[in-house]
Amino acid sequence: MPPACPTIRRPMPLRRDLQRSLHRRRPLLMHDGVCASHIHVKDSFPRPPTQWLMRSLRRSAVPKTTKKRDVASLYEVGPRNVTTRNCAANFGAPMPKISLTSLADIASVVGTQKVTKVRAIKKRGPYSPAVDFYKALREALVTAHDNGWSKVNLLEIPHAQTDPKKVASYLSAINGYNKWWGQKTLQSFDAPRSTYSKHGIDVLVTPETGIEAGTTQYVLKFYLNNEPLDTFKANLITALMEMTLRDQCQATEVMAVLDVRRGKLFTMRSQLKTLKTVIDAELAYVADLWDAL
């Protein structure tokens, strides 16, 4: 016959032993060598287990900042609440990478739409040229001026595509680019690239090309989305370019983003310090949300 189960009316204040045992999934030995798994608590827990543990821990001088989710973490193996912003530094995991345009899209929406944007970016996975819808268009726009192409030459690019969706989309984009081109004499040059890292998130700052239009040199990012580019997005994109690429550029070069479909050029029209605060806050939000999705 097994020994009768002892009865206790309240848990013993054994916070360190309790934490160590539950983390490692080992039996907890209480007083007199009795295993905690064989102890019967009178009245079958008068409160839910989490509250029962909280009462015990409070008696053991647990700091007031302890939250219920911290107590619940005692049942789990390994650390809890390891977020994106510290996982790369502490555990060697790769940082999530997002594009400059993706960050601008996240920052431009609020509420559940922001969550939807972050979820879509996470599920998309790393960049792959095989699924880059605009790859051929970008390459054509970048090399057009080096190769001495005219506007008519650019209009041949859409008709060389086999995907009907690309034909219509490329044609719309090239018509907008030719509208911005106008009568200007354009020359291209190589644009620098870099990465902005904050809160465990890498933002890839990758302008497509540099364009010299008359006496002005632009470090140019192409915006190819169907939605029009607004001033807020444009300021965010150009501010990140200014923050990461200025050291690699001449003082006279201007950071700019071109809404290709509408043929409209944007440069930064706000204070850099203010925009940096907005950017860092958005990246902190993305970092906190990333692991939860």
Side-chain angles (χ1 to χ4, degrees):
M1 292 291 292
C5 293
T7 300
I8 60 174
R9 294 185 177 276
R10 60 186 177 88
M12 301 298 292
L14 300 174
R15 180 175 183 273
R16 290 185 178 178
D17 293 340
L18 177 67
Q19 186 177 20
R20 186 181 303 113
S21 175
L22 292 178
H23 257 305
R24 299 178 182 176
R25 297 293 178 91
R26 294 176 180 173
L28 173 62
L29 295 178
M30 301 187 72
H31 294 291
D32 301 325
V34 179
C35 180
S37 61
H38 299 302
I39 293 179
H40 168 70
V41 179
K42 192 172 184 179
D43 298 330
S44 299
F45 290 109
R47 298 187 181 188
T50 299
Q51 297 184 21
W52 176 73
L53 285 173
M54 285 294 292
R55 283 198 308 159
S56 175
L57 295 182
R58 278 198 296 270
R59 291 192 180 97
S60 304
V62 177
K64 293 183 178 180
T65 56
T66 302
K67 299 180 180 179
K68 287 187 178 182
R69 64 179 182 180
D70 297 324
V71 176
S73 68
L74 299 179
Y75 290 102
E76 299 182 359
V77 177
R80 180 180 172 85
N81 297 330
V82 179
T83 60
T84 301
R85 67 174 67 187
N86 62 22
C87 69
N90 295 335
F91 299 98
M95 289 184 175
K97 300 180 186 296
I98 63 176
S99 69
L100 191 54
T101 305
S102 295
L103 177 61
D105 290 339
I106 293 170
S108 64
V109 295
V110 296
T112 57
Q113 292 181 347
K114 194 183 290 284
V115 178
T116 302
K117 290 280 187 183
V118 176
R119 182 183 290 111
I121 292 169
K122 183 175 181 178
K123 289 184 177 180
R124 186 188 306 164
Y127 171 80
S128 173
V131 295
D132 187 349
F133 185 83
Y134 294 109
K135 183 175 184 295
L137 177 61
R138 287 195 195 92
E139 292 175 347
L141 294 178
V142 168
T143 60
H145 306 293
D146 283 340
N147 296 334
W149 288 5
S150 66
K151 298 174 186 177
V152 176
N153 296 134
L154 275 178
L155 288 171
E156 296 174 0
I157 300 299
H159 302 292
Q161 308 303 311
T162 57
D163 186 347
K165 293 181 180 179
K166 286 187 178 182
V167 174
S169 183
Y170 282 24
L171 186 59
S172 172
I174 289 176
N175 284 334
Y177 186 84
N178 285 343
K179 175 184 174 183
W180 173 74
W181 186 347
Q183 301 300 316
K184 296 187 288 292
T185 300
L186 304 180
Q187 296 291 330
S188 63
F189 60 91
D190 292 336
R193 296 188 170 196
S194 188
T195 301
Y196 182 75
S197 300
K198 194 75 174 180
H199 301 302
I201 304 292
D202 283 347
V203 183
L204 307 178
V205 184
T206 56
E208 276 76 15
T209 187
I211 291 289
E212 183 177 345
T215 58
T216 306
Q217 292 181 321
Y218 297 103
V219 177
L220 198 59
K221 177 69 180 175
F222 293 148
Y223 182 85
L224 295 166
N225 292 6
N226 290 322
E227 301 83 9
L229 178 64
D230 57 40
T231 304
F232 175 74
K233 284 185 180 181
N235 282 336
L236 211 67
I237 292 172
T238 52
L240 260 172
M241 293 169 64
E242 187 73 33
M243 290 159 53
T244 56
L245 303 178
R246 175 51 61 192
D247 292 342
Q248 305 176 55
C249 297
Q250 299 179 11
T252 56
E253 293 175 353
V254 179
M255 306 299 169
V257 54
L258 177 64
D259 186 349
V260 177
R261 295 182 184 279
R262 280 149 285 275
K264 188 174 182 180
L265 186 73
F266 293 82
T267 57
M268 190 171 64
R269 300 294 183 185
S270 185
Q271 293 184 355
L272 183 61
K273 183 177 180 180
T274 302
L275 291 172
K276 184 181 185 303
T277 302
V278 174
I279 291 167
D280 290 348
E282 290 295 333
L283 290 176
Y285 175 84
V286 173
D288 285 336
L289 188 61
W290 193 270
D291 287 337
L293 297 177

